[in-house]
Amino acid sequence: MLVLLAGIFVVHIATVIMLFVSTIANVWMVGTSSFGTASWGLWLLCNKTCQQLPVGSGGEASLKAAQAFMILSIIFSVIALVMFIVQLFTLEKGKRFYITGAIMLVCWMCILIGVSIYTARFTGSMVPFTRPHHGYCFILAWICFCFSFIISILYLVLRKK
Protein backbone atom coordinates (compact mmCIF):
# COMPACT_ATOMS: atom_id res chain seq x y z
CA MET A 1 0.00 0.00 0.00
CA LEU A 2 2.83 2.35 0.84
CA VAL A 3 4.44 1.66 -2.53
CA LEU A 4 1.15 2.46 -4.30
CA LEU A 5 0.77 5.73 -2.41
CA ALA A 6 4.37 6.68 -3.17
CA GLY A 7 3.87 5.84 -6.84
CA ILE A 8 0.73 7.95 -7.09
CA PHE A 9 2.49 10.80 -5.31
CA VAL A 10 5.46 10.66 -7.74
CA VAL A 11 3.17 10.56 -10.80
CA HIS A 12 1.18 13.48 -9.39
CA ILE A 13 4.34 15.56 -8.89
CA ALA A 14 5.48 14.64 -12.42
CA THR A 15 2.09 15.74 -13.76
CA VAL A 16 2.35 19.10 -11.98
CA ILE A 17 5.85 19.66 -13.39
CA MET A 18 4.77 18.69 -16.92
CA LEU A 19 1.76 21.01 -16.65
CA PHE A 20 4.07 23.87 -15.68
CA VAL A 21 6.40 23.14 -18.59
CA SER A 22 3.65 22.72 -21.16
CA THR A 23 1.93 25.94 -20.10
CA ILE A 24 5.02 28.13 -19.80
CA ALA A 25 7.08 27.03 -22.81
CA ASN A 26 6.09 28.17 -26.29
CA VAL A 27 6.52 25.01 -28.30
CA TRP A 28 2.93 23.91 -28.85
CA MET A 29 3.38 24.18 -32.63
CA VAL A 30 6.56 24.22 -34.70
CA GLY A 31 6.90 25.30 -38.32
CA THR A 32 9.44 26.60 -40.79
CA SER A 33 9.54 29.95 -42.52
CA SER A 34 12.01 31.94 -44.59
CA PHE A 35 13.72 32.94 -41.33
CA GLY A 36 14.16 29.37 -40.09
CA THR A 37 12.32 27.26 -37.59
CA ALA A 38 9.67 29.01 -35.51
CA SER A 39 7.65 27.81 -32.55
CA TRP A 40 4.55 29.20 -30.93
CA GLY A 41 2.43 28.29 -27.98
CA LEU A 42 0.00 29.91 -25.60
CA TRP A 43 1.96 33.10 -25.09
CA LEU A 44 4.60 33.93 -27.70
CA LEU A 45 5.73 33.34 -31.26
CA CYS A 46 9.46 32.60 -31.23
CA ASN A 47 11.69 32.63 -34.29
CA LYS A 48 15.07 34.16 -33.54
CA THR A 49 13.40 36.50 -31.09
CA CYS A 50 10.08 36.13 -29.31
CA GLN A 51 7.07 38.39 -29.82
CA GLN A 52 3.41 38.42 -28.89
CA LEU A 53 1.43 35.69 -30.58
CA PRO A 54 -0.35 37.34 -33.52
CA VAL A 55 -4.00 36.32 -33.47
CA GLY A 56 -6.96 37.93 -35.12
CA SER A 57 -9.78 39.50 -33.20
CA GLY A 58 -11.83 36.31 -33.54
CA GLY A 59 -9.10 34.14 -32.05
CA GLU A 60 -8.15 36.36 -29.13
CA ALA A 61 -10.98 35.15 -26.89
CA SER A 62 -10.16 31.53 -27.70
CA LEU A 63 -6.48 32.06 -26.89
CA LYS A 64 -7.34 33.73 -23.57
CA ALA A 65 -9.68 30.84 -22.73
CA ALA A 66 -7.01 28.24 -23.51
CA GLN A 67 -4.50 30.17 -21.39
CA ALA A 68 -6.97 30.47 -18.51
CA PHE A 69 -7.90 26.78 -18.52
CA MET A 70 -4.27 25.68 -18.58
CA ILE A 71 -3.48 27.98 -15.63
CA LEU A 72 -6.55 26.65 -13.80
CA SER A 73 -5.37 23.08 -14.41
CA ILE A 74 -2.05 23.89 -12.74
CA ILE A 75 -3.82 25.49 -9.78
CA PHE A 76 -6.21 22.56 -9.31
CA SER A 77 -3.40 20.04 -9.64
CA VAL A 78 -1.35 21.77 -6.95
CA ILE A 79 -4.42 22.06 -4.70
CA ALA A 80 -5.10 18.34 -5.19
CA LEU A 81 -1.51 17.52 -4.27
CA VAL A 82 -1.77 19.56 -1.07
CA MET A 83 -5.15 17.99 -0.26
CA PHE A 84 -3.69 14.51 -0.77
CA ILE A 85 -0.92 15.25 1.74
CA VAL A 86 -3.44 16.72 4.21
CA GLN A 87 -5.82 13.78 3.80
CA LEU A 88 -2.95 11.33 4.14
CA PHE A 89 -2.34 12.52 7.69
CA THR A 90 -5.90 13.42 8.78
CA LEU A 91 -8.13 10.82 7.11
CA GLU A 92 -9.36 7.91 9.20
CA LYS A 93 -8.48 4.37 8.21
CA GLY A 94 -10.75 2.88 5.58
CA LYS A 95 -11.85 6.23 4.16
CA ARG A 96 -11.32 7.21 0.54
CA PHE A 97 -9.59 10.23 -0.94
CA TYR A 98 -12.79 11.69 -2.43
CA ILE A 99 -11.82 15.36 -2.18
CA THR A 100 -8.45 14.83 -3.83
CA GLY A 101 -10.00 12.73 -6.59
CA ALA A 102 -12.71 15.30 -7.26
CA ILE A 103 -10.19 18.14 -7.47
CA MET A 104 -8.07 16.10 -9.89
CA LEU A 105 -11.15 15.46 -12.04
CA VAL A 106 -11.66 19.24 -12.23
CA CYS A 107 -7.99 19.56 -13.22
CA TRP A 108 -8.55 16.89 -15.87
CA MET A 109 -11.53 18.80 -17.28
CA CYS A 110 -9.53 22.06 -17.38
CA ILE A 111 -6.74 20.37 -19.33
CA LEU A 112 -9.28 18.85 -21.71
CA ILE A 113 -10.99 22.17 -22.36
CA GLY A 114 -7.77 24.19 -22.69
CA VAL A 115 -6.01 21.81 -25.06
CA SER A 116 -9.17 21.20 -27.08
CA ILE A 117 -9.71 24.92 -27.61
CA TYR A 118 -6.11 25.32 -28.74
CA THR A 119 -6.39 22.30 -31.04
CA ALA A 120 -9.62 23.46 -32.63
CA ARG A 121 -8.69 27.11 -33.10
CA PHE A 122 -4.92 27.34 -33.55
CA THR A 123 -3.53 24.10 -34.98
CA GLY A 124 -2.12 24.96 -38.38
CA SER A 125 -3.59 28.47 -38.39
CA MET A 126 -0.26 30.31 -38.70
CA VAL A 127 -0.29 30.96 -42.45
CA PRO A 128 3.32 32.08 -43.16
CA PHE A 129 4.75 28.82 -41.81
CA THR A 130 5.17 25.65 -43.82
CA ARG A 131 4.93 22.11 -42.49
CA PRO A 132 3.56 23.01 -39.05
CA HIS A 133 3.51 20.16 -36.55
CA HIS A 134 2.83 19.78 -32.85
CA GLY A 135 5.64 20.54 -30.44
CA TYR A 136 6.60 18.86 -27.22
CA CYS A 137 4.44 21.14 -25.02
CA PHE A 138 1.29 20.13 -26.85
CA ILE A 139 2.19 16.47 -26.42
CA LEU A 140 3.04 17.03 -22.73
CA ALA A 141 -0.35 18.63 -22.20
CA TRP A 142 -2.11 15.54 -23.59
CA ILE A 143 0.10 13.28 -21.46
CA CYS A 144 -0.91 15.34 -18.41
CA PHE A 145 -4.52 14.88 -19.48
CA CYS A 146 -4.10 11.09 -19.35
CA PHE A 147 -2.12 11.11 -16.11
CA SER A 148 -4.56 13.40 -14.31
CA PHE A 149 -7.48 11.14 -15.26
CA ILE A 150 -5.68 8.01 -14.08
CA ILE A 151 -4.59 9.71 -10.86
CA SER A 152 -8.08 11.02 -10.15
CA ILE A 153 -9.64 7.57 -10.60
CA LEU A 154 -6.98 6.05 -8.35
CA TYR A 155 -7.65 8.67 -5.69
CA LEU A 156 -11.39 7.95 -5.84
CA VAL A 157 -10.87 4.19 -5.55
CA LEU A 158 -7.98 4.19 -3.08
CA ARG A 159 -8.66 3.66 0.61
CA LYS A 160 -6.39 4.68 3.44
CA LYS A 161 -5.12 1.56 5.21
Side-chain angles (χ1 to χ4, degrees), residues 11-81:
V11 172
H12 195 148
I13 289 176
T15 302
V16 170
I17 292 169
M18 288 188 298
L19 273 172
F20 268 110
V21 169
S22 68
T23 303
I24 293 170
N26 290 299
V27 193
W28 282 55
M29 295 294 294
V30 178
T32 56
S33 68
S34 59
F35 300 111
T37 302
S39 64
W40 59 94
L42 294 175
W43 312 100
L44 299 172
L45 168 67
C46 298
N47 199 351
K48 292 183 180 178
T49 61
C50 293
Q51 60 189 10
Q52 279 297 104
L53 191 64
V55 293
S57 62
E60 190 172 342
S62 299
L63 183 63
K64 296 289 183 198
Q67 291 170 347
F69 278 110
M70 290 308 292
I71 290 171
L72 281 173
S73 70
I74 292 171
I75 292 169
F76 284 122
S77 185
V78 170
I79 290 171
L81 188 62

Side-chain angles (χ1 to χ4, degrees), residues 1 5 8 80 83-92 94-104 151-161:
M1 187 60 163
L5 285 174
I8 292 171
M83 283 305 300
F84 174 66
I85 294 169
V86 168
Q87 283 186 320
L88 196 59
F89 293 109
T90 61
L91 204 61
E92 297 174 14
K95 300 287 182 174
R96 295 188 180 184
F97 297 93
Y98 286 128
I99 296 172
T100 306
I103 294 171
M104 275 308 286
I151 291 169
S152 64
I153 297 302
L154 286 175
Y155 281 145
L156 291 173
V157 172
L158 191 65
R159 288 182 186 269
K160 184 177 178 186
K161 298 263 180 179

Side-chain angles (χ1 to χ4, degrees), residues 110-127:
C110 288
I111 296 170
L112 174 66
I113 294 168
V115 177
S116 296
I117 289 171
Y118 191 88
T119 303
R121 300 288 297 188
F122 300 106
T123 301
S125 66
M126 298 299 225
V127 177

